[in-house]
């Protein structure tokens, strides 16, 4: 991080010790009015005071821990259902995998006619023919 992007131009190039002891308004985006409000609310006057503010430390800890928190049983169950749905849609047994190195298929695969390669297709055809005979 370039420290000069977060402090006013007046404090650019100064050492960190000086910046730490600088007034809150030295931070870019914090006006003198904002600094007065923070002083009135929390009794802080410098950038260092802000860094030591217990509420800032608590918020930082909560954010850090939230990123590392384990999923709840409900979240794990939802993820498992989603994984199962994806697996049913795109089975891992598909012949071509993403990492197989194939970039182009030279010859298109043979297409299967679903009407002749269907479970019990012959029975369906016989039943259809039988139905046609009854309607005639």
């Amino acid at each position: 991080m370039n420290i000069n992007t977060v402090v006013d131009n007046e404090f650019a190039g100064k050492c960190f010790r000086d910046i730490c002891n600088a007034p809150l308004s030295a931070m870019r985006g914090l006006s003198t009015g904002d600094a007065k409000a923070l002083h009135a609310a929390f009794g802080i006057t410098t950038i260092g005071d802000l860094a030591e503010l217990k509420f800032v430390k608590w918020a930082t800890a909560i954010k850090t821990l939230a990123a590392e928190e384990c999923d709840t049983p409900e979240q794990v169950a939802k993820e498992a259902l989603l994984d199962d749905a994806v697996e049913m849609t795109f089975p891992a047994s598909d012949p071509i995998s993403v990492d197989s190195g194939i970039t182009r298929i030279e010859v298109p695969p043979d297409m299967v006619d679903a009407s002749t390669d269907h479970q019990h297709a012959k029975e369906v055809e016989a039943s259809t023919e039988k139905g046609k005979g009854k309607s005639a």
Side-chain angles (χ1 to χ4, degrees):
M1 172 175 74
N2 182 350
I3 197 68
N4 293 334
T5 63
V6 297
V7 295
D8 289 339
N9 291 338
E10 178 186 347
F11 294 91
K14 292 198 175 196
C15 70
F16 289 110
R17 191 174 302 108
D18 289 343
I19 295 172
C20 184
N21 293 320
L24 290 168
S25 58
M27 292 182 71
R28 225 169 259 222
L30 274 176
S31 68
T32 305
D34 295 333
K36 287 179 183 176
L38 286 167
H39 177 70
F42 302 111
I44 59 175
T45 56
T46 67
I47 293 173
D49 293 341
L50 178 62
E52 289 297 318
L53 188 62
K54 67 181 178 182
F55 300 109
V56 172
K57 288 183 176 185
W58 291 348
T60 302
I62 289 169
K63 185 172 191 262
T64 301
L65 293 171
E68 300 301 322
E69 189 172 37
C70 296
D71 290 340
T72 64
E74 181 181 324
Q75 290 169 323
V76 171
K78 284 181 181 178
E79 186 68 26
L81 287 173
L82 181 60
D83 287 347
D84 290 345
V86 169
E87 178 60 26
M88 287 189 296
T89 306
F90 304 103
S93 60
D94 283 350
I96 299 175
S97 68
V98 175
D99 60 352
S100 67
I102 296 175
T103 56
R104 180 174 55 173
I105 299 174
E106 294 293 331
V107 179
D110 293 333
M111 300 299 291
V112 176
D113 184 6
S115 65
T116 59
D117 188 35
H118 187 271
Q119 294 177 351
H120 309 291
K122 292 185 184 193
E123 291 176 28
V124 171
E125 288 174 11
S127 175
T128 303
E129 291 300 321
K130 187 176 178 184
K132 285 182 183 177
K134 286 185 180 178
S135 63

